Structure formats: structure tokens, C-alpha cells
Amino acid sequence: MGRYLALLVALLLGSWIAFTDQLLPESQPVGAPLTEFSAERAFADVSLMAAKPHPIGSPENARVRDALVARMAALGLAPEVRTGVGVQQPKWASDRIVAGPVENIVGILPGRDRKAAALAIMAHYDSVPGSPGAADDAIGVATALETVRAIKARGTPTRDVIILLTDGEEAGLLGANHFFRRDPLAKRIGLVINAEARGSSGRVNMFQTSPRNGELIDLFARTAQRPASSSLSVLIYEKMPNDTDLTETLRAGIPGLNYAIIGRQFDYHSATSTPANLDRGSLQDMGSQVLVVAAETAFAQQLPGRADNVVYSNLLGDIVVGYPVWFGWVVILAIVGLLAVSVRWARHAGEFPAMDIVRGMGAMAFASLGAVAVLQFARRLTGAGFGFMEQRFLLAQSAAWEWAIMLLSLGFLMLAAGNMARGRRWIAVVPVIAGLACSAFGSFDIIGAVSGVAAGVLGVFVYSRPASRKGAWAGALVLGLLLTILLQILAAGAAYVIAWPLLVAAIGAAATALSARRGVLPIVLLAILAIATLGWQGGISHFAYEGMDLMPLFGLQMIMAGLVLWPLAQPETGAQKGLVIGGALLVGGLALTLFIRSDVPWSPRYPQASYVGYQVDQDTGRAWRFSPANMPNGWTDTVLRAEGGKVETLAHWSWRRPMLAASAPPVAEPPPTITLAKAPDGGLALSAMPPAGARTLTLQLRSSAPGQITRIAGVPVAVTLSAREWVSVYWQAPGNGLAVALRATGTGRLDVRYVAGFDRWPSGVAPLPPRPADLMAWDNSDSTFVSGTRAFSW
């Protein structure tokens, strides 16, 4: 009974520590000291910017630009709008070019040494269509302005502090692309701090650094207040397709740090990203984190240099532990020594078969793989599809779904550990059924099938007979050791995730002779070590939950938790308490999952996303009302049928995927003016002038003769043209039009497709009815698109 009481206390207190560590700081009032960051002062800038959506090229974005220029002038930063053209070729699509004219805003707080490398604090001031952008990225802009104001209040800094507010980030990092590649001011910058958001709440995470970050992390560790960052988050972000403006900074070879909040992702790029829904505690956390690093570097004699990457992570409070990559092997050697001592002492207390260690390794692997299978089944059971739009059903119930994941994960871990005392093979069926059942909800689910079957095979071997607690725990620790060594070899920045809990568990194993010693003190020690580990691990689990909708991540979490919980979770041989507790947690988790599935979460605070557009094809004279198939609702269906057309699934070359569409009366909209002429240098000059009022213009180009796009609006590029593939050019904020320079051999034909986008519903057709309060427009919904083709010969 004592072990299960200790287990309960460890779970409750560990969860409480993890919860309190995620609590946001109190928003500091307007009357806070001028040398400190005040979220209430900064919030005025959030409200100034985020009244309406303000995508690049829109009149509202121009209003925000002018308002920010006035704010920076009031701060004495001598702001200027630096214009140019951003041209981006996405790394995930070599046949696409995103480009457009940008208006970056730059202000400078002069330092004592104007020749010293400057510090830049960067954020972007544009939003996506359809979102006011209170979080993404008004929070970043407000942070930058309030941070520089606080630095100015502390005196004249050693170096210039530059505020860089970029334009066109949401369209494709266009403002940062122009600034760091073509603006001469970029050469003065020695360090960039970027502020971003992927939600409207939560602790701020410093999730990305420049390469060779040793001195940067030393600076971060010395100055950060209640920091949240790790080499694991840096490693993961490097492998992801996501980009922020700091991507352009790093491409230019300038060191930098990237900060963001990712909680309450329902509001990301959403109409609900309003000032009222932005958590002011997150703004305070962002500002406090950025200010301490910015102030330290602004007044330092030298900026951090480049040094070898380090393995690091925050612990609880203000503590950041970091060490060179090679020191990871020292940690591993310490673990090996502790395990050797603990096993030897345990065998002195009573022999246990060596096969118990092997079975313990298998049981820990069974717990991890089985948890993945059960969680994947639960994810399917929610009824929500995979993908950002499909996941919004769960994002509207985020807290409940996180609880369900925790109950199911711990439940299966308790089941796996508890069954070691009885050795019942029937348990092997549980993950097999869960894993294979994942495919009953649609297409074949490889994650569920592989993890479930693999766990089942392990379970048949592991649970052929009971195993001693000390033998099973030793096996679990040995598996953790092998995984740590593997991570140290393949991804040293992530090895600490298992190495640190394993080190704590190994200390507990040595102190309690692998849990063989009886009495209160050994159990209390194991409980204390479990509480500390779970309190720290909870932050990692929460970050993984918020960052990625990926159930296998929680299999790794179960190994981390199992290393310290196993000696408390496995009962005496023959007892079945572990099975009862594990079963109860699983039932609770599944019941909560079923509740989530049955609940309709949409409300005025969490409205369902909807999208409708009107498109007229000027070649055929046909027009449609259309909507993506993955965003169905009654209002959208009514809008599609408003002109009497039949709703069917249609494909059009301008749509990336087939849409639900219904015929509509065509309206007369002006087409773009497109011409092709010989250039003075012997090449070809394609000119596209958008129709008045259009905010976007997309061209698709295909050449019958081998050719190349050499310039976009005067910016050099190198994109191959061929007769087999279309190359897309997405021109944002058309302004005075798009100029494309081409090179082609001999004679040939250039086929051009165009789509002009207007941020309005067309006149002359049935107007859109008001949306219900629990429904919102998404992205550039309610817009008009004009498409057609042209052909030119040379």
C-alpha cells in the first residue's frame, strides 16, 4: 500500500509542479518602473495594430504602418520606411516563386559606439488575411517597442539598437528576404532577436538559435527569467518545414535567437486572434524574456561570439543546465557506474534471474509502443482528421484532449508495470487490438498498426511469467541507457531527454539497492526523485502536445516517466493492484475521449472555420461559388446553393485540390494586362499589370522551348522553364505590376495562366448572408478571383 500511496503522491505533486511551472507571470501595470517591461503599456500597441486583418498590400496594413511610424517617432527612434521587393523560392516547392513589394519599418536607438555591431529586435507587422493578428505578430511588435523603450530608460546603450518591423512575413518572409539580402543596413547588425507567435497564450519558448550557439546559450542561461528552452526544441525546429523571419537572418550569416508562444493554437491565423483573446501574461513573459537578453547585449562591450553547440535545457525556476556535446558521454559513464553498483547491491539482497532484466527491457518497450498504439486509437476515436484545419475540432477542446492523453499514457504504463507481478499474456492483445482498430476509421494507419503489433509481440515474450521488481526495473534502466547512447550518437542535442531522468533513476536505484530495501525512507526517496523528474518532464510533454499532433512523441514520454515510476508502479509478485489502477486510468481516458468526440465545441469564442469564394473563368465565361471539401457546414452549403447551382466536386487548374462548387452567374471583372516583348539584352520581358483593386496576382508559366526565369521585379532568380511543368509566381500587393525577365533559346511559345484576387465579394450576385456567431471566415474567404489564360510567341 505504501508504494501506491507514494505513486499517487508522486503523480499529483509532479503534475502540480509541472502545472505551476507553466503559469504565466502577472501583467505589469502601466505605472511599473520605466526600466522594466510592462505588458499593460505594450498592450496599447497590440490594440493599435490588431483592430482588423492587415495582410500585405491592404489599406489596413498601410494604416498599421503609418501608426507604427508615428509610435516609433514618439520614442525618438527616427523611423523610416525602407521599400524594396522580397523574392522567395520555398524550399518545399522548387516550381514556385513568392514575391512582392514590401515596406519595412526601421528605427534606431543610437548607442555610444555607432560603429559597433548593432543589436536588432525584429517582428513582423503584417497579418494573414482574415486574422487581426493580435498574437501573430502584434505581440512581437509590441514587445520590440516596449523593450527598446525600457532600454532607452536605462541609459545610452553601448551599441545601436535597431527595431526592424518587417512587412510580408505571412506571404513568404518577403520583408526579411529583402532586408537581409538587399538592404545595406543589414550589414551593420551583429545579433537579431526575433519575436513570433503560433497561438495566443502560454509560456514563451526560445526555440531556435543560430549555429554554433555556445556563447549565445551561455548568455541565455545567465540572464533568462523562468526560461523555457532546450537543445531539443532547437534540433526539432531545424528539421521542420516551418520558417520565420529569422530564417532569412541565419541565411545571411547573422546570429540570432527566436522566441514564440504556441499555446491556445486555435487562435493561430484565426479571426479569434484579437486583443481581447491575447493573454497579457504571455505578452509579459515575452517582454521579460526578450528584455533581459536585449539589455545585456545592448550594454555589453562585445556581442556573443560563435562557439560549439551545447546540450542544454531549462530545469525548474531560473536554472538552465548546459554542457558541451562530449560531456554527454561523461553523463553516460556516470549512469553506467550507478547501474552497476545498484545491480550488484540488489543481487546481494537476493538473487534474481538475469532474464528478469531482459523482460524488464521488453516491458518498458512494451509500455512505450503500446501507449503509442492506444493513443493513436484514441486520436482516431475523436473523429478529428489530421491536418491543421481538421485538428481545430481538438484545438477547441485542447485542455480536455491533453488530459485524455495523460490518462491513457499513464494508464498503459501502470498496466505494463503492474502486470510484471502476475505475468498474464492476455495483456499483449490490448495494444494489438488498439493498433489495428486505428485503420477502422478510414485509411490504413501505419503508426497504429506497427506500434500495436510490435507491442503485442513483445508482450507475449515479456509476460510469459512474473518478474521481480528489481530485475524488471534494472531492465527498464538498461533500455533507457541503450536509447541514451543511441541518441548521443545520432542526435546529441536530444540525448538529455532520457539521460537526465535516467541519471535521477540510477541514483535512486543505487540508494535503494534497486528498490530492494524495505522501509519508509527508500520509498520516500523514490517518490521525491519521481516528483522532481515528473515536474520537469511535464513541461516537455506540454510543449510536445502544443507543438505537434504526433502520438509517437508520447511513447518517448512514457519511457522518461517509466524510468522513475517503475519501482513504485510494480507491486509485489502476484499482486494485481497495478492492473486495477492501470485499467481504471485507461477507462477514464477513453471515456474522456468519447466525450470529446460527442461534444460540439463551436461557440462565439471558438467558432468553426468556413471558407467560400467566387471565381470567374474569363476564358470559358463560367463562374462558381466554391469551398474546400474539408470545411463543411450548413451556412456554407446555403451560400453555395444561393444561385440555384448544383453542388458538386470540381477541379480547376487554379485550385490546388478539387473543391465543392456550384455554378453562379458570371460577373464582368477587368482582367490583368499581360504583355511579352523583347528586352534590350536579347531576353524576353513579361509584364503583368493587375486589374484595379486586386491585392494578389498569380501567374503560371510554361515554355515550349527550354528557358529560365532570370529576374522577378529586378531581383535575380534562377528558375527553369520547360514544356512539361508549370512554374507559379505568386505576386503579393501588386502595386505597379509585375515584371518577369526570361531567357529562352530559338523560337517558342509561352503559355500564361493568371488569377487575380480581390478582397471583396462581387457585386451583381447574391450577397453573402450573415454568419452565425459560432462560425467565422477563414483566411481570404469571401473573396473574388478572376482567372484566364494568355499565349505568346517569340
Side-chain angles (χ1 to χ4, degrees), residues 8 11-12 15 371 374-375 378 399-415 554 558 581-593 596:
L8 178 61
L11 291 174
L12 291 177
S15 299
V374 169
L375 290 174
W401 176 229
E402 188 171 11
W403 269 101
I405 289 175
M406 184 175 70
L407 290 174
L408 291 168
S409 301
L410 289 174
F412 198 84
L413 176 63
M414 296 300 104
L415 202 68
F554 296 97
M558 284 307 95
I581 294 175
L585 290 173
L586 282 175
V587 170
L590 286 174
L592 185 54
T593 302
I596 292 170

Side-chain angles (χ1 to χ4, degrees), residues 45 138 199 214 303 391 456 499 530 717 751:
D45 293 316
L303 292 175
Q391 187 193 2
V717 296
D751 293 315

Side-chain angles (χ1 to χ4, degrees), residues 4 134 222 232 245 288 457 482 562 649 730 757:
Y4 279 100
R222 286 187 288 105
L232 175 64
D245 277 342
S288 298
V457 172
L482 295 177
T649 301
Y730 298 89

